């Protein structure tokens, strides 16, 4: 049974089912040249809020050890998930600039005005990876399903080749299921990982 916070800003209502810490396992299967990278991993994902109109996101994954070998950290990422809406003078930013108008209290009607013709809500997800990669995803949340696709990827000079990605998240039987497709290391877009997580 999911418990949803009652003190959320209205903009977070469609995303509220994500809030919490989720843990579980997943599998990797991705070809790179003549090799096939495969394995099982443990995954921990956290969604939290601090009163702003966005969710804080962090995730780590560790490749399971085989035959006495050490576990291998795979990813550490952090970011923000928010409904996509135009910024107004009541919003702070950019950088440390304060709002130029009185903060507006957004309500249910304001959020409903963002609903897409498909019935879902457009979202923006920004993610920074510990390996020097930044991603901006655009997509849609429609009830307990989220589909996002990379709109921009920024890589540091030493980062590995990574061209595009899509992610799908869904709430099924109180579990967070996700799948991540990527185009990387010379392999065109295809599935590379998926996992099933339970709220802890």
């Amino acid at each position: 049974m999911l418990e949803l916070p009652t003190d959320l800003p209205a903009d977070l209502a469609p995303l509220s089912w994500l809030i919490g810490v989720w843990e579980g396992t997943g599998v990797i299967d991705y070809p790179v040249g003549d090799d096939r990278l495969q394995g099982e991993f443990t995954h921990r994902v956290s969604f939290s809020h601090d009163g702003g109109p966005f969710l804080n996101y962090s995730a780590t994954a560790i490749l399971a050890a085989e035959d006495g070998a050490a576990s291998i950290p795979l990813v550490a990422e952090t970011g923000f998930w928010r409904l996509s809406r135009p910024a107004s003078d009541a919003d702070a930013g950019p950088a440390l600039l304060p709002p130029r108008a009185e903060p507006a209290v957004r309500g249910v009607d304001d959020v409903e005005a963002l609903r897409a013709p498909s019935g879902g809500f457009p979202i923006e997800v920004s993610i920074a990876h510990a390996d020097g990669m930044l991603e901006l995803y655009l997509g849609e949340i429609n009830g307990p399903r989220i589909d996002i696709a990379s709109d921009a990827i920024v890589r540091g000079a030493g980062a590995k080749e990574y061209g595009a990605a899509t992610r799908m998240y869904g709430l099924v039987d109180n579990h967070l299921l996700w799948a991540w497709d990527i185009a990387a290391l010379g392999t065109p877009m295809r599935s590379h990982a998926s996992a099933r997580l339970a709220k802890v």
Side-chain angles (χ1 to χ4, degrees):
M1 177 100 156
L2 288 176
E3 293 184 22
L4 301 178
T6 58
D7 60 342
L8 291 177
D11 282 3
L12 294 185
L15 298 163
S16 61
W17 58 268
L18 289 167
I19 295 172
V21 176
W22 304 81
E23 292 182 349
T25 60
V27 293
I28 301 164
D29 185 4
Y30 195 73
V32 177
D34 294 332
D35 295 330
R36 189 167 204 95
L37 306 178
Q38 296 177 302
E40 294 185 8
F41 62 93
T42 59
H43 196 43
R44 185 176 198 273
V45 174
S46 172
F47 291 95
S48 63
H49 76 97
D50 56 13
F54 54 85
L55 291 182
N56 302 301
Y57 165 80
S58 65
T60 56
I62 299 173
L63 189 65
E66 292 184 17
D67 301 327
S71 299
I72 300 171
L74 295 175
V75 71
E77 54 184 26
T78 186
F80 303 95
W81 294 51
R82 66 187 321 126
L83 290 187
S84 182
R85 65 170 176 84
S88 73
D89 285 346
D91 293 306
L96 295 178
L97 299 178
R100 295 186 310 152
E102 286 296 314
V105 177
R106 293 176 49 78
V108 174
D109 291 339
D110 298 307
V111 174
E112 277 301 314
L114 301 174
R115 193 180 290 272
S118 63
F121 294 93
I123 63 171
E124 301 170 2
V125 177
S126 54
I127 297 176
H129 297 249
D131 60 4
M133 199 114 45
L134 305 170
E135 296 176 284
L136 173 64
Y137 287 92
L138 302 179
E140 188 171 281
I141 180 167
N142 199 337
R145 181 181 170 122
I146 299 169
D147 292 281
I148 55 177
S150 58
D151 182 63
I153 294 175
V154 177
R155 294 183 288 134
K160 294 182 178 180
E161 186 266 317
Y162 180 66
T166 64
R167 301 190 193 199
M168 186 280 296
Y169 296 79
L171 184 65
V172 179
D173 295 331
N174 289 327
H175 285 80
L176 179 63
L177 277 60
W178 66 256
W180 188 358
D181 296 359
I182 62 171
L185 304 178
T187 301
M189 181 78 79
R190 60 154 285 153
S191 174
H192 103 284
S194 60
R196 179 183 180 97
L197 311 177
K199 190 173 271 193
V200 297

